[in-house]
Amino acid sequence: LAETETVRVGMYRTMATIACCDEVFRAKLMGGEVTLSYYSPRGQEAISAGVAAAIRPSDYMVTTYRGLHDHIAKGVPLRPLVAEFLGRATGTCKGKGGGMHVTHPASGLMVTTGIVGGGLPIANGLALASQQLGDDRVTVVNFGDGASNIGAFHEALNLAAVWKLPVVFVCHNNRYAESTAYSKGTAATSVAARAHGAYEIPAVTVDGNDPLAVKEAADEAVARARLGSGPSLVEGLTFRFMGHFFGDAGSYIPKDEMHAARELDPIPRYRARLVSDGDASEAQLDLIDSQVRAAVDDAFGFALDSPWPAPDELRFDVYAQEALI
Ligand SMILES: Cc1ncc(C[n+]2csc(CCOP(=O)(O)OP(=O)(O)O)c2C)c(N)n1
Ligand SMILES: [Mg+2]
């Protein structure tokens, strides 16, 4: 069924999978069943779904500690993904990276980093490799609004523009960097204005709660990169529904601001849109929801039944040549 569905309905499945997986992580953390550092992407599903629908499986992606939404959208298989978040030997990095360092080259998810802004120069490196190899790949790098205040953001945009790298910078502007509101820390009306004004990079700000708007902007940016015309920046305006990390109550967010943001929750909104546009019936979307729930439960079952990495594993995957250890 999933193979034959349209791109528009597929984006719903992606968003539902992200939200369901996030819900189970939070429920298990709340119940004390699992322990991990967790940064919820709830509310930001549409940006990941829209961008992923604009690229190919062979394209590269870089993301952050909040990257569960990007990992799922890029197609990292759920079983090893959840196992990695839970630190199990069956994870994408044998449980040695955790959610903040998920890497899965087979699905093009190359780097997850906890260093704010650190992914942008790495994405340039991947894009430079593609440019030199002529492999026709595009690299997408996801980051937050706060990252646009980091030096690496400016260095990366400048160099990508000078070298015309096939990279798409995707800013998930969720209006907060930890507890700092956008307007308190950022001297620009938008992140797109910085890219365009300072580095002459084509840049747009779109409704990040609408996967169709995100996909349209990403389609253009990806086409530009693929043609060799250089980088673009897509900024999606969205909101972080949970605290910065699991355990942060977000008390610094005014109640009316949170209430207004939740009114724009991308998932019920997109669901209603698909039904009113005739893409799918409520029953079809309910079926997707139940399939998603089964897949997520299966992944958690698999992960929780998996062993921890053996202590001896510490010696491996540290250097490129294991013989040197
Ligand atoms: C270089 C660096 N500085 C500071 C931190 C601490 N830190 C972690 S997340 C974060 C906020 C980043 O906000 P934003 O880029 O908007 O991303 P969001 O968390 O909203 O997704 C900060 C300051 C860090 N991890 N790395
Ligand atoms: Mg932010």
Side-chain angles (χ1 to χ4, degrees):
L1 199 141
E3 282 76 38
T4 57
E5 72 195 12
T6 62
V7 172
R8 286 165 63 109
V9 174
M11 289 195 290
Y12 177 82
R13 182 183 293 273
T14 301
M15 291 166 65
T17 306
I18 297 164
C20 179
C21 199
D22 170 75
E23 187 192 316
V24 176
F25 269 122
R26 285 187 288 108
K28 291 200 182 305
L29 277 161
M30 192 67 92
E33 257 185 90
V34 299
T35 313
L36 70 155
S37 293
Y38 185 66
Y39 302 82
S40 172
R42 188 68 259 281
Q44 304 182 199
E45 297 85 354
I47 299 180
S48 306
V51 168
I55 58 177
R56 300 174 183 163
S58 56
D59 287 332
Y60 290 145
M61 182 171 280
V62 176
T63 186
T64 73
Y65 48 90
R66 202 178 300 290
L68 178 70
H69 49 353
D70 297 326
H71 302 142
I72 289 173
K74 188 68 178 79
V76 179
L78 280 181
R79 280 182 162 202
L81 178 63
V82 172
E84 189 58 39
F85 270 72
L86 298 184
R88 305 306 171 112
T90 52
T92 55
C93 305
K94 304 185 195 169
K96 293 189 275 186
M100 231 189 268
H101 300 105
V102 170
T103 300
H104 193 254
S107 48
L109 198 297
M110 304 307 280
V111 178
T112 302
T113 176
I115 308 301
V116 173
L120 286 87
I122 296 172
N124 274 358
L126 291 163
L128 178 63
S130 293
Q131 189 184 59
Q132 294 196 347
L133 294 168
D135 69 10
D136 206 29
R137 281 188 168 111
V138 169
T139 297
V140 168
V141 53
N142 301 278
F143 54 93
D145 46 293
S148 75
N149 294 316
I150 291 271
F153 167 91
H154 298 274
E155 295 179 26
L157 263 66
N158 182 59
L159 204 59
V162 171
W163 287 352
K164 287 198 181 304
L165 296 177
V167 59
V168 179
F169 298 103
V170 176
C171 180
H172 298 231
N173 185 345
N174 62 11
R175 324 297 166 93
Y176 280 84
E178 288 198 1
S179 57
T180 305
Y182 181 89
S183 59
K184 286 192 181 157
T186 309
T189 49
S190 71
V191 175
R194 288 185 150 167
H196 189 255
Y199 306 108
E200 299 176 14
I201 288 177
V204 285
T205 303
V206 299
D207 179 354
N209 293 332
D210 176 2
L212 300 172
V214 174
K215 182 179 180 301
E216 195 181 331
D219 277 338
E220 266 187 47
V222 169
R224 199 176 290 122
R226 196 102 58 206
L227 278 172
S229 306
S232 310
L233 184 142
V234 176
E235 174 184 22
L237 296 180
T238 182
F239 208 80
R240 196 193 70 200
F241 287 173
M242 301 297 151
H244 172 60
F245 56 88
F246 182 83
D248 168 16
S251 52
Y252 46 85
I253 301 178
K255 284 202 167 52
D256 54 341
E257 187 182 355
M258 178 61 88
H259 182 75
R262 281 183 174 274
E263 291 286 301
L264 302 174
D265 188 332
I267 295 187
R269 210 178 118 189
Y270 190 48
R271 195 178 217 280
R273 171 83 188 264
L274 289 178
V275 172
S276 69
D277 282 1
D279 289 282
S281 64
E282 293 277 4
Q284 284 166 327
L285 297 175
D286 286 346
L287 177 62
I288 289 177
D289 287 347
S290 61
Q291 290 170 336
V292 159
R293 181 75 211 200
V296 168
D297 285 345
D298 166 77
F300 275 86
F302 168 82
L304 289 168
D305 284 345
S306 295
W308 300 103
D312 196 42
E313 270 291 334
L314 275 175
R315 298 189 300 120
F316 298 103
D317 309 315
V318 178
Y319 298 101
Q321 293 175 46
E322 288 176 0
L324 290 177
I325 302 173

